[in-house]
Amino acid sequence: MVAGVLIGGALAGCGGAAPAPGPTPTPTAAAPTPVPKKPPTMAPGPARRTPVFERRQTGATGGSATGADAAEKAAAEKVVALTFDADMTADQGPRAKAGERFDNPELIALLRRLKVPSTVFMTGRWAEEYPAQAKGIGTDDLFEVANHSYSHYAFTADCYGLPVVAKDAMARDVERAFSAFREAGVRNVVPYFRFPGGCYDDAALHALTPANVTAVQWDVVSGDAFATDAGAVADQVLDGVRPGSLVVMHCTRSAAPVTREAVSRIVPELRKRGYRFVKVSELMEG
């Protein structure tokens, strides 16, 4: 190191030109942080009732579209959303403590393996019971988490024997679920809500207005709840799916024990038919 310095000094003393300083580098601006895409929602209905989404309305492929254009349009509309309800009512804690499983990690693992984007409608009570799984689902970009109430109590009377939430407590029940998601570390949360049992009326739609959510129903019932025949569930879905369909299934082993097996049949068959799987947020964009 010292020899190098001495040689450099000698060259300079003998008239060697010192190296010219290079240009001062221009500082580069930091890349802007990407703004997360806001999930689409529907405008409130009449009298500011909570809006309800059931499926994407697809257009006809006829008219002016012909040949390649018609084929491209048809392919673009061949989308389907698989949704999974992670149900657990507020009073089922003792059953979970006794060993009943309201989760289905094997189903989630299958969706990951098959690379199926999905929307999980989760109750707040489920997120409290399975916080690690809730966080795992809710931080995986393959999934989005929507609200299925905190308690999984009904929002109307006579809804499959479920206990009923009082009208003045409905919006609070929904917000309590969102709070449970935050507590569990769920990140990919969308402002969508599914009524327990799918039961709602005008009074419930009015009561949910302060929650600022879009209610999401479905047009294809899988029939997986309490089913024991995976083939029958798969056939029911495959028979019902149309471009833009929204399928309701469950992510609860004790109440829907054959869902994973049914999905393993449904996904390859729909892909074979040219369908692409999307989350509800993408389906709603159409």
Side-chain angles (χ1 to χ4, degrees), residues 12 26 80 87 91 97 117 123 138 147-148 181 191 195 240 246 249 259 284:
T26 304
V80 58
D87 296 343
D91 57 358
K97 191 173 289 188
T123 68
N147 196 311
H148 196 30
F181 300 162
F195 288 98
L246 201 158
M249 307 186 83
T259 304
M284 203 177 290

Side-chain angles (χ1 to χ4, degrees), residues 177-272:
F178 282 130
S179 295
F181 300 162
R182 289 191 292 270
E183 185 68 24
V186 177
R187 185 187 67 206
N188 301 329
V189 179
V190 287
Y192 307 147
F193 173 75
R194 174 166 287 164
F195 288 98
C199 306
Y200 70 94
D201 54 19
D202 275 355
L205 294 177
H206 277 292
L208 278 189
T209 300
N212 294 314
V213 292
T214 295
V216 174
Q217 294 290 95
W218 54 81
D219 67 301
V220 178
V221 178
S222 69
D224 66 337
F226 306 105
T228 57
D229 185 341
V233 172
D235 288 344
Q236 186 157 315
V237 172
L238 294 171
D239 288 345
V241 166
R242 300 291 180 271
S245 278
L246 201 158
V247 183
V248 59
M249 307 186 83
H250 293 82
C251 183
T252 315
R253 271 186 287 179
S254 60
V258 300
T259 304
R260 186 203 62 77
E261 185 182 347
V263 167
S264 71
R265 303 184 189 194
I266 292 166
V267 169
E269 178 57 31
L270 285 178
R271 281 180 170 156
K272 187 175 164 184

Side-chain angles (χ1 to χ4, degrees), residues 36-41 119-120 122 127 134-135 137-141 143-148 174-175 177-193 213 279 281:
K37 189 175 181 182
K38 189 175 180 181
T41 54
T119 304
V120 177
M122 190 181 293
K135 182 177 180 179
I137 294 168
T139 54
D140 184 338
D141 289 339
F143 304 108
E144 63 188 10
V145 174
N147 196 311
H148 196 30
V174 172
E175 182 49 47
F178 282 130
S179 295
F181 300 162
R182 289 191 292 270
E183 185 68 24
V186 177
R187 185 187 67 206
N188 301 329
V189 179
V190 287
Y192 307 147
F193 173 75
V213 292
K279 303 171 192 173
S281 56

Side-chain angles (χ1 to χ4, degrees), residues 69-225:
D69 289 340
E72 183 178 346
K73 181 174 173 133
E77 292 186 339
K78 261 195 156 179
V79 293
V80 58
L82 298 186
T83 69
F84 299 89
D85 292 357
D87 296 343
M88 187 173 182
T89 59
D91 57 358
Q92 287 178 333
R95 288 167 56 180
K97 191 173 289 188
E100 185 171 347
R101 299 308 302 248
F102 297 93
D103 62 342
N104 196 337
E106 291 85 2
L107 169 62
I108 298 300
L110 175 67
L111 294 171
R112 286 184 171 125
R113 189 163 64 252
L114 296 177
K115 295 181 173 55
V116 180
S118 308
T119 304
V120 177
F121 285 84
M122 190 181 293
T123 68
R125 184 65 190 86
W126 195 97
E128 289 179 347
E129 188 69 30
Y130 306 106
Q133 291 188 57
K135 182 177 180 179
I137 294 168
T139 54
D140 184 338
D141 289 339
L142 190 66
F143 304 108
E144 63 188 10
V145 174
N147 196 311
H148 196 30
S149 80
Y150 172 81
S151 61
H152 202 257
Y153 288 175
F155 282 54
T156 64
D158 301 321
C159 182
Y160 301 103
L162 292 170
V164 181
V165 180
K167 290 288 186 288
D168 61 359
M170 289 180 177
R172 290 197 304 274
D173 188 86
V174 172
E175 182 49 47
R176 188 178 178 188
F178 282 130
S179 295
F181 300 162
R182 289 191 292 270
E183 185 68 24
V186 177
R187 185 187 67 206
N188 301 329
V189 179
V190 287
Y192 307 147
F193 173 75
R194 174 166 287 164
F195 288 98
C199 306
Y200 70 94
D201 54 19
D202 275 355
L205 294 177
H206 277 292
L208 278 189
T209 300
N212 294 314
V213 292
T214 295
V216 174
Q217 294 290 95
W218 54 81
D219 67 301
V220 178
V221 178
S222 69
D224 66 337

